[in-house]
Each structure stands twice: as C-alpha cells, then as structure tokens.
Amino acid sequence: PCNLTGWWKNDLGSKMQVFEVGKDGTFSGKYHTAVSSAQKPIQPSPLTGSQHLDEDGQCTFGFTVNWQNFSDSTAVFVGQCFNGDDGKEVLHTSWLLREKVDSEPEDWKATR
C-alpha cells in the first residue's frame, strides 16, 4: 500500500514532508517550494491533508498548503499514489493556487 509518510520531491525541486498518516487518513507536514513569484524569501509552509486508504495501495489524496510565511496565497493539491514498475511509489498531482487580489474586479486573475 501507498505510504505518504516521509519526503517527496517533484520535477521542479520542491519537497514535501508528510509527518504521519493517521488511521483515518489525515496527515500534516511541511511543503518546501522551489518556485515562487512572491517578493519575500521562500519559507517552508504547513500543509494538512487527507488520504483515501485503499486496499490496493493506489490511493487518492488531497492537501492544502498555506504559504503563510512569505505569501498571501493558498494552494490545494489532489492526486493519486501509484506503485511504479521499479517498485517505487510515485505521486501524480494537480494543483490550484489562489493569490490574494485587491478587489473583486481583479478576481479573474487570482487563481492559477
């Protein structure tokens, strides 16, 4: 079965640490992004999430990252864990990032 606990690294060099997945599938951790458009220096950011615990091990999951230490944005990720041909676990995710804007008319440009 897929075990999200531990360190994960993506293609851009960002790293995620999941501390422990509870029996109910909930987890927390830190996200260390390698990319940012914020003006402040990048800082590790807290994440919280939930994993669907499937018996076949190829579970789905989702988590939220609060970029509270250096940005006014929040990101959500959803994905699935796969057991690769080489025996290693691989995560495939999609994400949305919501940036703070100054007014409602600017809402159109707030989500990537």
Side-chain angles (χ1 to χ4, degrees):
C2 181
N3 182 358
L4 293 179
T5 301
W7 284 93
W8 297 90
K9 184 177 179 182
N10 73 12
D11 296 341
L12 298 175
S14 296
K15 294 183 250 179
M16 171 178 77
Q17 182 182 20
V18 175
F19 299 138
E20 182 180 359
V21 178
K23 291 182 182 185
D24 62 352
T26 59
F27 61 89
S28 64
K30 291 277 185 186
Y31 199 95
H32 304 252
T33 188
V35 295
S36 173
S37 61
Q39 301 302 314
K40 296 179 183 176
I42 295 173
Q43 299 289 320
S45 300
L47 68 84
T48 56
S50 181
Q51 175 182 355
H52 190 269
L53 302 172
D54 288 338
E55 290 182 19
D56 70 0
Q58 300 192 115
C59 64
T60 59
F61 60 89
F63 60 91
T64 301
V65 179
N66 181 347
W67 309 109
Q68 68 186 14
N69 296 322
F70 65 96
S71 176
D72 290 335
S73 61
T74 302
V76 293
F77 294 76
V78 293
Q80 184 172 349
C81 180
F82 294 95
N83 295 312
D85 293 336
D86 59 1
K88 293 183 179 179
E89 295 170 339
V90 177
L91 306 182
H92 286 266
T93 61
S94 296
W95 57 271
L96 288 171
L97 179 110
R98 175 66 188 217
E99 293 181 303
K100 179 179 163 186
V101 292
D102 293 328
S103 66
E104 187 176 358
E106 294 179 290
D107 185 60
W108 67 270
K109 67 179 182 177
T111 303
R112 290 192 253 168

